[in-house]
Amino acid sequence: EIVLTQSPGTLSLSPGERGTLSCRASQNIRTYLAWYQQKPGQAPRLLIYEASKRATGVPARFIGSGSGTDFTLTISSLEPEDFAVYYCQQRDSWMTFGGGTKVEVK
Amino acid sequence: QVQLVQSGAEVKKPGASVKISCKTSGYTFTNFYVHWVRQAPGQGPEWMGVINPDGGATNYAQKFRGRVALTRDTSTTTVYMDLSNLRSEDWATYYCAREDIHTGMVLFYWGQGTLVSVSS
């Protein structure tokens, strides 16, 4: 099973700041990585697929990058609605998710 | 618009089974795979399996093989997830989700979730 390790566990930032979230895969997953946002009491929301493609309706401030084993989700300027938990997910070998990064208000 | 509407919360005893429904609408049912993902309190999501509504073929995560069964009813465009021999570790919110139009194994549309509580 491919293991995804996300860091940091918690990111404390202020609105308007830039957020950088990391996801590392236990083996090469090419660009088969997606990112989701989840708010309390809600289902996850797809943000990015194929490492860098924004899903329908996702604002341009969400930027995905990386390939192989190292991936990054950058939120260029945090809006109040962006404070949430973010998960990465691989589809190179079935499907697994990372443990999440919580982006909280500093 | 695409919708996935799940059945309500369940309370079960250890050893029991639970069957959750996922009623889909707003798209051609047989054109998109439907996945089941669960999420224990405070944990990341965990993939359980997938069903192809066109024919009913399934694939399950190794962890759940032998305990989970996904089925579908094309007449009602509903997918079902049956989990047997419940234990306390199965206490979680269970989601059905439909694949994104652009690529497989990526989930764009989600149900609202069904909480399954397991306690003696």
XYZ file of all heavy atoms in Angstrom, chain A residues 34 36 38 41-46 48-50 55-56 87 89-91 94-99, chain B residues 35 37 39 42-47 50 59 65 95 100 102-108 110-112:
401
model
N -4.055 13.958 -5.886
C -5.137 14.932 -5.762
C -5.091 15.562 -4.372
O -4.529 14.992 -3.437
C -6.491 14.266 -5.981
N -7.675 17.591 -1.473
C -9.040 17.874 -1.043
C -9.005 18.832 0.143
O -8.070 18.824 0.948
C -9.764 16.595 -0.592
C -9.960 15.566 -1.678
C -8.933 14.701 -2.033
C -11.178 15.442 -2.339
C -9.112 13.756 -3.030
C -11.371 14.493 -3.327
C -10.323 13.652 -3.664
O -10.496 12.710 -4.646
N -11.417 19.914 3.496
C -12.571 19.469 4.287
C -12.801 20.423 5.450
O -11.879 20.734 6.212
C -12.375 18.050 4.814
C -13.633 17.495 5.477
C -13.486 16.045 5.899
O -12.401 15.604 6.264
N -14.583 15.290 5.833
N -17.866 18.842 9.626
C -19.220 18.411 9.318
C -19.539 18.289 7.847
O -20.686 18.027 7.485
N -18.538 18.483 6.992
C -18.758 18.405 5.553
C -17.928 17.292 4.934
O -16.918 16.862 5.491
C -18.387 19.730 4.879
C -19.238 20.904 5.314
C -18.874 22.177 4.555
O -18.205 22.152 3.518
N -19.335 23.318 5.072
N -18.345 16.862 3.746
C -17.557 15.922 2.968
C -16.345 16.648 2.378
O -16.348 17.876 2.231
C -18.411 15.340 1.848
N -15.319 15.914 2.039
C -14.176 16.536 1.357
C -14.604 17.154 0.030
O -15.550 16.702 -0.610
C -13.218 15.359 1.136
C -13.562 14.376 2.217
C -15.047 14.496 2.368
N -13.861 18.197 -0.356
C -14.094 18.881 -1.627
C -12.835 18.766 -2.467
O -11.743 19.126 -2.006
C -14.407 20.361 -1.379
C -14.455 21.240 -2.628
C -14.333 22.705 -2.267
N -14.305 23.589 -3.423
C -13.897 24.857 -3.400
N -13.492 25.400 -2.265
N -13.908 25.581 -4.499
N -12.980 18.281 -3.703
C -11.827 18.139 -4.596
C -11.316 19.506 -5.019
O -12.077 20.346 -5.503
C -12.213 17.326 -5.824
C -11.117 17.144 -6.883
C -9.969 16.304 -6.327
C -11.702 16.497 -8.151
N -7.614 19.802 -6.435
C -6.568 19.591 -7.439
C -6.539 18.115 -7.801
O -6.675 17.254 -6.932
C -5.174 19.991 -6.871
C -5.137 21.452 -6.437
C -4.073 19.658 -7.873
C -5.095 22.458 -7.553
N -6.340 17.793 -9.088
C -6.106 16.425 -9.516
C -4.932 16.422 -10.481
O -4.525 17.456 -10.994
C -7.366 15.802 -10.133
C -7.819 16.460 -11.427
C -7.504 15.921 -12.664
C -8.577 17.636 -11.393
C -7.910 16.520 -13.833
C -8.993 18.244 -12.566
C -8.657 17.687 -13.777
O -9.064 18.293 -14.956
N -4.376 15.218 -10.699
C -3.177 15.080 -11.538
C -2.097 16.076 -11.103
O -1.399 16.664 -11.934
C -3.499 15.268 -13.027
C -4.617 14.380 -13.546
C -4.343 12.897 -13.386
O -4.422 12.394 -12.224
O -4.068 12.224 -14.379
N -9.670 21.570 -10.059
C -10.998 21.023 -10.326
C -11.957 22.159 -10.684
O -11.675 23.336 -10.435
C -11.502 20.260 -9.107
N -13.069 21.796 -11.244
C -14.074 22.767 -11.656
C -14.477 23.669 -10.494
O -14.806 23.180 -9.405
C -15.321 22.053 -12.201
O -14.922 21.207 -13.287
C -16.356 23.043 -12.673
N -6.291 17.265 2.613
C -5.802 15.904 2.451
C -5.265 15.700 1.040
O -5.844 16.202 0.070
C -6.924 14.887 2.669
C -7.485 14.874 4.070
C -8.680 15.521 4.371
C -6.826 14.200 5.099
C -9.202 15.503 5.654
C -7.335 14.178 6.381
C -8.523 14.840 6.650
O -9.031 14.820 7.934
N -4.331 12.653 -1.826
C -4.842 11.319 -2.190
C -4.130 10.845 -3.449
O -4.020 11.603 -4.416
C -6.347 11.372 -2.443
C -6.949 10.078 -2.998
C -7.598 10.251 -4.355
O -8.308 11.221 -4.626
N -7.371 9.286 -5.250
N -3.670 9.597 -3.448
C -3.013 9.059 -4.638
C -3.930 8.073 -5.333
O -4.756 7.406 -4.707
C -1.672 8.409 -4.271
C -1.746 7.166 -3.402
C -2.078 5.885 -4.158
O -1.836 5.804 -5.368
N -2.640 4.900 -3.465
N -3.776 7.972 -6.651
C -4.546 7.001 -7.438
C -3.627 6.148 -8.315
O -4.087 5.522 -9.250
C -5.596 7.705 -8.298
C -5.027 8.536 -9.437
C -6.151 9.044 -10.329
N -5.657 9.597 -11.579
C -5.518 8.885 -12.701
N -5.817 7.607 -12.737
N -5.091 9.473 -13.794
N -4.680 1.865 -6.669
C -5.971 2.044 -5.990
C -6.023 3.437 -5.388
O -5.745 4.420 -6.092
C -6.229 0.920 -4.991
C -6.326 -0.394 -5.712
C -5.468 -1.446 -5.646
C -7.327 -0.765 -6.678
N -5.860 -2.429 -6.510
C -7.005 -2.041 -7.157
C -8.465 -0.124 -7.200
C -7.773 -2.715 -8.108
C -9.229 -0.790 -8.148
C -8.884 -2.059 -8.584
N -6.383 3.546 -4.117
C -6.561 4.888 -3.551
C -6.166 4.894 -2.093
O -6.627 4.043 -1.316
C -8.041 5.315 -3.687
C -8.333 6.733 -3.256
S -10.110 7.116 -3.296
C -10.508 6.916 -5.023
N -5.297 5.837 -1.703
C -5.031 6.079 -0.293
C -4.966 7.582 -0.066
O -4.684 8.350 -1.001
C -3.720 5.432 0.191
O -2.641 5.852 -0.659
C -3.802 3.909 0.192
N -5.195 7.974 1.179
C -5.194 9.373 1.579
C -4.093 9.625 2.604
O -3.702 8.721 3.350
C -6.533 9.753 2.223
C -7.705 9.775 1.272
C -8.380 8.602 0.961
C -8.156 10.965 0.717
C -9.474 8.619 0.102
C -9.247 10.992 -0.138
C -9.899 9.809 -0.446
N -3.651 10.868 2.661
C -2.740 11.268 3.713
C -3.493 11.551 5.003
O -4.727 11.508 5.041
N -2.731 11.863 6.056
C -3.326 12.096 7.352
C -3.854 13.502 7.567
O -4.523 13.769 8.571
N -17.516 5.219 -5.487
C -16.610 4.735 -4.454
C -17.246 4.912 -3.069
O -18.140 5.736 -2.878
C -15.301 5.526 -4.478
C -14.532 5.399 -5.757
N -13.340 4.706 -5.832
C -14.783 5.860 -7.003
C -12.889 4.760 -7.072
N -13.748 5.459 -7.803
N -15.878 5.640 0.878
C -14.764 6.118 1.691
C -15.288 6.306 3.107
O -16.399 6.824 3.283
C -14.232 7.455 1.135
C -13.193 8.072 2.064
C -13.653 7.267 -0.267
N -14.412 7.651 7.255
C -13.556 8.562 8.007
C -13.877 8.434 9.488
O -14.971 8.810 9.915
C -13.759 9.993 7.521
C -12.756 10.985 8.061
C -12.831 12.328 7.345
O -13.864 12.733 6.841
N -11.716 13.052 7.312
N -11.618 12.381 13.678
C -10.287 12.960 13.762
C -9.243 12.342 12.862
O -8.057 12.679 12.945
N -9.651 11.434 11.970
C -8.704 10.741 11.098
C -8.882 11.162 9.647
O -9.881 11.793 9.283
C -8.906 9.217 11.208
C -8.777 8.678 12.616
C -7.400 8.897 13.190
O -6.391 8.606 12.565
N -7.339 9.439 14.408
N -7.933 10.779 8.817
C -8.064 11.020 7.385
C -9.025 10.025 6.755
O -9.366 9.004 7.344
N -9.457 10.316 5.532
C -10.351 9.394 4.837
C -9.644 8.071 4.529
O -8.418 8.011 4.410
C -10.695 10.145 3.547
C -10.387 11.582 3.827
C -9.232 11.558 4.777
N -10.450 7.025 4.384
C -9.939 5.682 4.092
C -10.811 5.080 3.003
O -12.023 4.932 3.170
C -9.980 4.836 5.363
C -9.467 3.425 5.192
C -9.446 2.668 6.501
O -10.323 2.894 7.354
O -8.559 1.814 6.682
N -10.169 4.697 1.889
C -10.908 4.124 0.774
C -11.297 2.695 1.078
O -10.478 1.889 1.539
C -10.048 4.174 -0.485
C -10.694 3.636 -1.712
C -11.706 4.205 -2.431
C -10.372 2.420 -2.394
N -12.029 3.414 -3.511
C -11.229 2.310 -3.515
C -9.445 1.402 -2.170
C -11.185 1.243 -4.411
C -9.393 0.333 -3.061
C -10.257 0.267 -4.166
N -14.899 0.243 -4.706
C -15.522 0.918 -5.842
C -16.414 -0.056 -6.582
O -16.133 -1.261 -6.634
C -14.440 1.501 -6.784
C -13.492 0.423 -7.289
C -15.061 2.258 -7.961
N -14.310 -3.650 -6.786
C -12.973 -3.850 -6.252
C -12.948 -3.295 -4.846
O -13.510 -2.223 -4.592
C -11.910 -3.145 -7.101
C -11.443 -4.007 -8.245
O -10.793 -5.029 -8.034
N -11.777 -3.624 -9.458
N -11.765 -6.726 2.392
C -12.230 -7.884 1.628
C -12.763 -8.954 2.557
O -12.147 -9.307 3.558
C -11.098 -8.440 0.772
C -10.870 -7.612 -0.467
C -9.713 -8.102 -1.295
N -9.270 -7.024 -2.183
C -8.063 -6.954 -2.722
N -7.174 -7.896 -2.484
N -7.754 -5.947 -3.507
N -18.943 7.635 3.454
C -19.337 8.469 2.317
C -19.361 7.632 1.030
O -18.465 6.809 0.813
C -18.335 9.586 2.074
C -18.223 10.633 3.143
C -17.212 10.572 4.097
C -19.094 11.718 3.192
C -17.068 11.555 5.069
C -18.970 12.707 4.159
C -17.960 12.613 5.087
O -17.826 13.593 6.054
N -14.728 12.053 -10.700
C -14.712 13.284 -11.494
C -14.844 12.969 -12.980
O -14.441 11.895 -13.423
C -13.392 14.021 -11.232
C -13.321 15.361 -11.929
O -14.044 16.283 -11.519
O -12.537 15.469 -12.885
N -13.195 14.239 -15.368
C -11.930 14.339 -16.093
C -11.026 13.135 -15.911
O -10.197 12.838 -16.775
C -11.176 15.596 -15.662
C -11.904 16.872 -15.978
N -12.557 17.617 -15.026
C -12.103 17.512 -17.155
C -13.108 18.665 -15.598
N -12.849 18.629 -16.892
N -11.158 12.426 -14.783
C -10.229 11.333 -14.538
C -10.800 10.379 -13.516
O -11.571 10.775 -12.629
C -8.874 11.882 -14.062
O -7.947 10.799 -13.975
C -8.979 12.539 -12.701
N -10.422 9.126 -13.644
C -10.911 8.131 -12.704
C -10.172 8.180 -11.381
O -9.119 8.787 -11.245
N -10.742 7.522 -10.365
C -10.127 7.399 -9.045
C -9.869 8.751 -8.391
O -8.990 8.878 -7.536
C -8.837 6.576 -9.101
C -9.019 5.142 -9.558
S -10.051 4.159 -8.444
C -8.888 3.826 -7.132
N -10.616 9.767 -8.781
C -10.595 11.081 -8.145
C -12.053 11.452 -7.929
O -12.874 11.276 -8.826
C -9.886 12.123 -9.039
C -10.086 13.524 -8.494
C -8.398 11.820 -9.124
N -12.364 11.922 -6.721
C -13.766 12.012 -6.308
C -14.247 13.445 -6.270
O -13.785 14.252 -5.448
C -13.913 11.349 -4.932
C -13.353 9.924 -4.884
C -13.407 9.373 -3.483
C -14.104 9.037 -5.856
N -15.224 13.778 -7.134
C -15.708 15.154 -7.194
C -17.025 15.323 -6.441
O -17.203 16.262 -5.677
C -15.879 15.605 -8.652
C -16.164 17.070 -8.788
C -15.138 17.991 -8.858
C -17.473 17.528 -8.830
C -15.397 19.349 -8.959
C -17.738 18.889 -8.936
C -16.698 19.798 -8.997
N -19.787 14.077 -3.699
C -19.851 13.272 -2.483
C -21.259 13.280 -1.898
O -21.981 14.285 -2.000
C -18.894 13.842 -1.428
C -17.440 13.743 -1.777
C -16.776 14.410 -2.778
C -16.462 12.950 -1.117
N -15.445 14.062 -2.772
C -15.222 13.175 -1.763
C -16.495 12.066 -0.033
C -14.036 12.546 -1.371
C -15.313 11.452 0.360
C -14.099 11.686 -0.297
N -21.605 12.172 -1.252
C -22.803 12.176 -0.440
C -22.568 12.964 0.841
O -21.446 13.407 1.116
N -23.617 13.100 1.622
C -23.515 13.914 2.830
C -22.884 13.163 4.001
O -22.571 13.749 5.037
C -24.900 14.454 3.243
C -25.775 13.481 4.021
C -26.550 12.501 3.158
O -26.194 12.263 1.996
N -27.607 11.926 3.726
